[in-house]
């Protein structure tokens, strides 16, 4: 049985339709990343699930229970926000114990569960410290601890890592996944960061302007994006998009045989998507281009090429090249994507 079901959820604020017919199902223990640009409705969606906001229409089920008419406190859902707030005058132990105390849990069990949560979160040595004595990452872990200690049916995380520096963010991603798997709590994790979504999600639901535009595994969305929007949103550096033209039975600018989808569909304007890691600069390459720029990225160079007036970004190059230098490159054909320039739909998806 699915653990969370959203059926046709819609929500407006005044004249603005913020969520439009959101439907999804999550299985028990799954980690779903709700991804999308700022303002697309991610937080509103979480707030509807948590009961902090009421939907205009639609249904929400947690396990077998329909919960959309229940108050927030009756839904057994825990939420962690970007701007988590701990009680500054209370020790870590008291901060962790607080939700249990409010819920009327007995003293002995509180002590047990605080100790257990602290162990899981690596906070055992910090239980007597005040939040002011902790690092940013430790404070964030206490905030997570305070949410999981109630053993919620559902765990909702709204951009909990946005305030952390890059290094810590990377570690906390892995930490959250580890804790989530260990507890087995069904979790919706909201972020606008595509890398976070790709690394953390069992599945990703990509939201744009209040609609789910695609839902699937990270690999699905990356390799088989439903539309140009999805292809553009995932991946860094961004996917290359070039205008394709059919000429003399060939598809320009790469002079490839015209793929079947394009022959059958009678599509006039086609855009071709080429991932930066699908292009390789080497003397054995088929195509000749000029180097526009080289940028050092630590794990390699990102090279900008000019190929017949198309700009192509190439990632993961071992060596830099001089500006204006002529080079040869090849393209991994099976990873090319084709989009209808008008509808922006992925034509190669079938
Ligand atoms: P996200 O979390 O994806 O950045 P939000 O769900 O916070 O997006 O907001 C989506 C849209 O709804 C935004 O345009 C925002 O201004 C609007 N919005 C959110 N909450 C309210 C509110 N309480 N009243 C009016 N407009 C709101
Ligand atoms: Mg938000």
């Amino acid at each position: 049985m699915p653990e969370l079901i959203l059926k046709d959820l819609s929500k407006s604020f005044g004249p603005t339709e913020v969520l439009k017919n959101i439907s999804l199902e999550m299985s028990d223990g799954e980690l779903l990343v709700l991804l999308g640009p700022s303002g697309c409705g991610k937080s509103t969606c979480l707030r509807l699930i948590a009961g902090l906001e009421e939907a205009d229409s639609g249904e929400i089920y947690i396990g077998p229970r329909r919960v959309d008419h229940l108050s927030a406190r009756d839904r057994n859902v825990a939420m962690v926000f970007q701007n988590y707030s701990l009680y500054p005058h209370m020790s870590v132990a008291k901060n962790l114990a607080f939700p249990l105390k409010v819920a009327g849990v007995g003293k002995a069990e509180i002590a047990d569960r605080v100790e257990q949560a602290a162990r899981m979160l690596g906070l055992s040595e910090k239980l007597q410290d005040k939040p002011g004595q902790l690092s940013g990452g430790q404070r964030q872990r206490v905030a997570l601890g305070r949410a999981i200690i109630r053993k919620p049916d559902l765990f909702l995380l709204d951009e909990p890592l946005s305030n952390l520096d890059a290094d810590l963010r990377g570690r906390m991603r892995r930490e959250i996944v580890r804790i989530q798997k260990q507890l087995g709590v069904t979790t919706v994790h909201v972020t606008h960061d595509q890398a976070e979504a790709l690394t953390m999600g069992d599945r990703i639901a990509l939201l744009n302007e209040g609609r789910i535009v695609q839902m699937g595994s990270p690999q699905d969305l990356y390799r088989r994006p439903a539309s140009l929007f999805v292809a553009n949103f995932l991946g860094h550096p961004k996917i290359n998009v070039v205008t394709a033209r059919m000429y003399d039975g060939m598809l320009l600018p790469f002079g490839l045989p015209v793929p079947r989808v394009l022959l059958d569909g009678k599509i006039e304007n086609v855009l071709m998507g080429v991932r930066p890691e699908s292009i390789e600069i080497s003397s054995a390459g088929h195509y000749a281009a000029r180097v526009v720029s080289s940028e050092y990225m630590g794990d390699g160079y990102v090279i900008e090429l000019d190929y017949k007036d198309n700009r192509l970004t190439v990632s993961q190059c071992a060596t830099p090249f001089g500006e204006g230098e002529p080079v040869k490159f090849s393209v991994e054909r099976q990873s090319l994507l084709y989009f209808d320039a008008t509808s922006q739909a992925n034509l190669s998806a079938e």
Side-chain angles (χ1 to χ4, degrees), residues 46 50 72 75-81 143-158 185-188:
L46 273 201
R75 296 190 189 190
N76 198 24
V77 160
M79 190 152 165
V80 176
F81 303 90
L144 288 171
R146 222 170 40 178
I148 62 178
I149 204 154
R150 288 199 288 127
K151 301 191 177 162
D153 293 329
L154 199 60
F155 203 18
L156 305 176
L157 306 173
D158 194 356
V185 183
T186 312
T187 300
V188 184

Side-chain angles (χ1 to χ4, degrees), residues 38-39 41-44 82 158-159 190:
S38 170
K42 305 181 295 297
S43 294
T44 303
Q82 177 180 343
D158 194 356
E159 313 228 15
V190 160

Side-chain angles (χ1 to χ4, degrees), residues 237-238 240 275-276 279 302-305 311-315:
K238 264 192 198 315
N240 294 291
R275 291 280 178 200
I279 303 176
V302 170
I303 314 289
E304 206 74 39
L305 296 180
R311 281 299 164 90
L312 296 175
T313 303
V314 186
S315 63

